Amino acid sequence: MSLAIIIGVVILVILYMTYPRFLRRRLSAARFFRDLPPPRKGQSRLRRGKMEFTLPFFLQLFVLLLLLASVFFSDKKLKGHEAEGLGVWIIVDTSASMSTLQENKPRMTAALREIELAIDQAQKAAKNKELCFRLSAMDLERRDLITAGNAFEITRAIQNLKPRTLGTDLGIIRRAFQSLKDQSQLKDHCQVSHIVVVTDIPDPGWLWESGDIEVVWRDVGQPVDNLGFTNIQASRNPLTGLASEVLIEVTAFGTPPANTGLLVTAPDGSQLMDEELNWQQGQFWQGRFTPLAVGEYQLHLSPGGAYVFDDDAVIKIDEGQLIRVDWQLPDRRLLRQMSWIEDKKNPHLRVTANTTMPADIPTIILGPGYRSARDTQPSIIRDFMEASPLLADVNLDAVETLKLGSIELPKGFQPVLRGIDGKVWLAQAENPLRAFVPGLPTGTDDVTGRFSATVFFNAVRWLLQKRELPALYTLTSPLDPTPAANRLVLHKDEGNTQRVPRSSGELENLTPITGKGAGIPLWPILVMVAGILFLIERALAAWSR
């Protein structure tokens, strides 16, 4: 920056030194008849003259400096003036629980009344001082409805607020606190001094994170009785993924009703289950049913409770999932027998004898196999990992009668079953899951055949435990907020209608505060001053002529 200023000053000095100065003089004609001096060779038009520090020079110098400063200080701002005002950000909960009936009206009705009281209090407190509002709705996302408005605009906008069939994410409030730290950069937004949160969730206890912004938390929820589905999950075959049973949990919030029935309808319309719930376990009822075929099953509770979206559910039973395997063995008989799909690009697991394969997917590593009957060396157990899933249903007494092949412990593995020589027969590793077993199932009907099949398929079940299977149902989301088919509204805690209300802060706290006004950009002032000096310099130049 200093170099640019110096260059500008040097250019201005050179212009003044070479600027022609014409003066009116009365001369005698005899001067033109004198002998002219010989012409000078190599005469330059740029001549060194005497520097004159005139007022126009300094005016033009200041104009140049001011213009350069406006470029280099374009992001600077002058300190804003102290101003007293009130900026209220109203955040209203529009999740599904706001449709809960209390006193025969949805909770949203109580929320709108609370917002109107907040607006009235803010207007009374502000009087003739500056007042602005922001309005946002929250559920699983935040929607900014009005970023800077007056009381009339807010009152009109809240009449269109309705609960959406979505859950609640309180992290939205925390992120709102963070966004206010940068509010001076949002010129078109109301400068917030207070936040009013209207919801049916009790004060979470971390509102102090708002910093200098005062938060008023208004919990409009009142305890009412409700019951609904709180958990629906499938018991699946660990290999095929086929659902063998559906487990159901119903929770009563408040007093459990005495005559609630559960009706399960099969895909063909037949009634698969019609049972009256028994509340001997307290607030919970658990049951199960066995699906008869693939398709959609409808579950219905009657009578329901104050919150309607947990009274019905639709689940989808699929055909399971074929296992995709990266099979790297020459013996492919087991691959065909299990009807597994060979897939090297997107497999569920890999089966290989190579201990140096990249550990990028769940992998079964096979050892040297099972020794022949002629080998009389006993298999004596040194130690074992009792909690390992690889040892499920394994008879350790029978292991010492087998002829097991062993290897040195592969790098990154934990020993599960080791021989007296310290070499491993079974081992496992995490991240990703990997298992070492002696070999493929032998297919024989003896102790070796049963052991080899047990440990191999134990490894397969363990490796496949984290694979993604088709869900019985999905939940509504901001992208798909409407429940349909097996897209449900069973979001966590939305049906919990027995929470003790807990508000914090009072609407009377909505009072104007003194704060710094928005900073004034410096560069327009510099350009304006440069323009005034330029006009003065031009006026002086015209007057001197």
Side-chain angles (χ1 to χ4, degrees):
M1 184 178 76
S2 58
L3 179 61
I5 294 176
I6 293 173
I7 293 175
V9 172
V10 171
I11 293 175
L12 184 61
V13 170
I14 293 174
L15 290 175
Y16 260 82
M17 292 178 66
T18 59
Y19 190 85
R21 299 179 179 85
F22 299 103
L23 299 177
R24 185 180 298 274
R25 301 287 186 182
R26 292 183 179 274
L27 301 175
S28 171
R31 293 174 61 92
F32 296 101
F33 295 98
R34 296 178 181 176
D35 293 335
L36 297 175
R40 297 179 181 179
K41 296 182 179 179
Q43 185 175 8
S44 173
R45 295 184 62 185
L46 180 62
R47 294 176 298 172
R48 182 178 179 182
K50 183 179 180 181
M51 182 66 185
E52 296 184 12
F53 294 100
T54 63
L55 180 59
F57 168 78
F58 285 110
L59 289 175
Q60 293 183 20
L61 177 62
F62 288 147
V63 168
L64 176 63
L65 294 177
L66 288 170
L67 292 177
L68 289 173
S70 68
V71 173
F72 290 105
F73 297 103
S74 59
D75 58 340
K76 299 295 182 181
K77 293 183 179 181
L78 299 178
K79 183 179 179 180
H81 64 282
E82 298 290 328
E84 190 174 15
L86 183 59
V88 182
W89 187 359
I90 299 173
I91 304 177
V92 57
D93 188 348
T94 55
S95 65
S97 63
M98 295 299 286
S99 66
T100 301
L101 293 178
Q102 60 186 39
E103 299 178 354
N104 296 321
K105 294 181 180 179
R107 286 176 173 173
M108 182 59 76
T109 302
L112 299 183
R113 184 168 61 250
E114 200 71 26
I115 296 173
E116 292 171 350
L117 291 175
I119 294 173
D120 291 341
Q121 173 60 29
Q123 287 181 306
K124 292 176 183 177
K127 295 181 180 178
N128 59 346
K129 299 180 179 63
E130 183 179 350
L131 173 64
C132 66
F133 292 92
R134 288 181 64 177
L135 177 64
S136 298
M138 74 162 189
D139 31 60
L140 290 178
E141 65 177 350
R142 191 185 92 200
R143 293 170 293 139
D144 293 328
L145 307 178
I146 297 178
T147 55
N150 55 39
F152 174 76
E153 293 171 329
I154 299 296
T155 303
R156 183 176 58 183
I158 63 175
Q159 304 308 317
N160 297 321
L161 288 177
K162 305 292 181 186
R164 302 204 300 173
T165 49
L166 296 172
T168 308
D169 178 13
L170 287 186
I172 290 173
I173 304 298
R174 277 183 154 149
R175 292 189 288 273
F177 293 164
Q178 183 64 34
S179 70
L180 291 179
K181 296 181 180 180
D182 303 323
Q183 67 174 357
S184 60
Q185 302 176 13
L186 306 175
K187 301 177 182 178
D188 58 339
H189 286 194
C190 173
Q191 300 301 300
V192 175
S193 60
H194 297 73
I195 295 178
V196 177
V197 180
V198 184
T199 178
D200 62 348
I201 298 177
D203 172 9
W206 39 256
L207 300 183
W208 54 269
E209 296 180 10
S210 62
D212 296 333
I213 305 297
E214 188 163 355
V215 180
V216 178
W217 189 280
R218 306 304 297 166
D219 181 0
V220 299
Q222 296 296 328
V224 291
D225 291 338
N226 181 55
L227 82 160
F229 296 109
T230 50
N231 192 15
I232 305 174
Q233 60 183 9
S235 176
R236 296 181 180 272
N237 183 304
L239 293 182
T240 65
L242 184 64
S244 57
E245 273 190 326
V246 175
L247 311 178
I248 306 170
E249 180 182 89
V250 178
T251 303
F253 301 97
T255 304
N259 59 343
T260 300
L262 169 62
L263 178 64
V264 178
T265 305
D268 60 1
S270 63
Q271 292 185 3
L272 185 61
M273 183 177 181
D274 188 359
E275 181 177 339
E276 185 173 319
L277 305 190
N278 187 333
W279 299 103
Q280 291 181 354
Q281 300 181 21
Q283 306 296 115
F284 301 94
W285 178 90
Q286 293 177 328
R288 63 187 65 205
F289 71 90
T290 301
L292 302 179
V294 298
E296 292 185 349
Y297 290 75
Q298 299 182 14
L299 288 67
H300 175 66
L301 290 172
S302 177
Y307 175 70
V308 301
F309 291 113
D310 57 1
D311 297 340
D312 292 275
V314 177
I315 61 173
K316 186 175 182 180
I317 302 297
D318 57 80
E319 297 178 341
Q321 190 178 64
L322 294 176
I323 299 174
R324 301 189 303 274
V325 183
D326 179 10
W327 192 270
Q328 299 186 359
L329 302 173
D331 185 352
R332 317 181 77 79
R333 289 175 295 174
L334 183 64
L335 181 67
R336 293 191 294 269
Q337 291 171 4
M338 299 301 299
S339 299
W340 288 345
I341 299 175
E342 187 170 7
D343 186 348
K344 295 185 179 298
K345 294 184 178 180
N346 189 29
H348 291 121
L349 62 90
R350 175 185 294 132
V351 179
T352 181
N354 185 357
T355 59
T356 62
M357 283 295 296
D360 52 350
I361 62 171
T363 302
I364 295 179
I365 300 176
L366 301 179
Y370 297 90
R371 300 198 299 266
S372 66
R374 293 190 299 272
D375 190 344
T376 59
Q377 183 179 357
S379 298
I380 302 176
I381 296 176
R382 173 181 175 181
D383 54 19
F384 59 91
M385 184 190 298
E386 185 175 4
S388 172
L390 300 185
L391 292 180
D393 300 323
V394 172
N395 186 344
L396 295 179
D397 291 333
V399 170
E400 295 189 337
T401 68
L402 303 177
K403 313 298 182 183
L404 300 178
S406 59
I407 64 170
E408 296 291 341
L409 182 68
K411 185 178 180 181
F413 280 72
Q414 291 179 298
V416 173
L417 186 63
R418 283 193 294 189
I420 195 68
D421 58 358
K423 295 184 178 181
V424 295
W425 298 322
L426 297 174
Q428 66 185 43
E430 306 277 348
N431 299 322
L433 298 177
R434 286 161 291 158
F436 169 78
V437 297
L440 292 173
T442 62
T444 58
D445 188 18
D446 54 12
V447 177
T448 301
R450 288 189 289 273
F451 174 83
S452 62
T454 299
V455 296
F456 181 84
F457 288 107
N458 280 349
V460 172
R461 281 193 292 268
W462 182 57
L463 295 178
L464 293 179
Q465 64 179 326
K466 293 186 178 180
R467 64 171 168 161
E468 292 187 5
L469 294 170
L472 294 180
Y473 63 90
T474 60
L475 296 175
T476 54
S477 67
L479 294 178
D480 293 305
T482 304
N486 67 330
R487 186 167 63 242
L488 309 181
V489 199
L490 298 182
H491 295 276
K492 182 177 174 57
D493 290 333
E494 289 300 301
N496 184 356
T497 58
Q498 283 291 312
R499 288 176 290 205
V500 178
R502 185 173 63 251
S503 298
S504 63
E506 300 294 337
L507 294 179
E508 288 72 17
N509 296 341
L510 299 178
T511 55
I513 64 172
T514 301
K516 296 178 181 179
I520 303 173
L522 177 60
W523 71 267
I525 298 176
L526 296 176
V527 173
M528 181 180 66
V529 174
I532 294 173
L533 294 180
F534 178 75
L535 292 177
I536 294 174
E537 189 274 335
R538 289 293 84 200
L540 290 175
W543 179 75
S544 63
R545 292 175 185 173

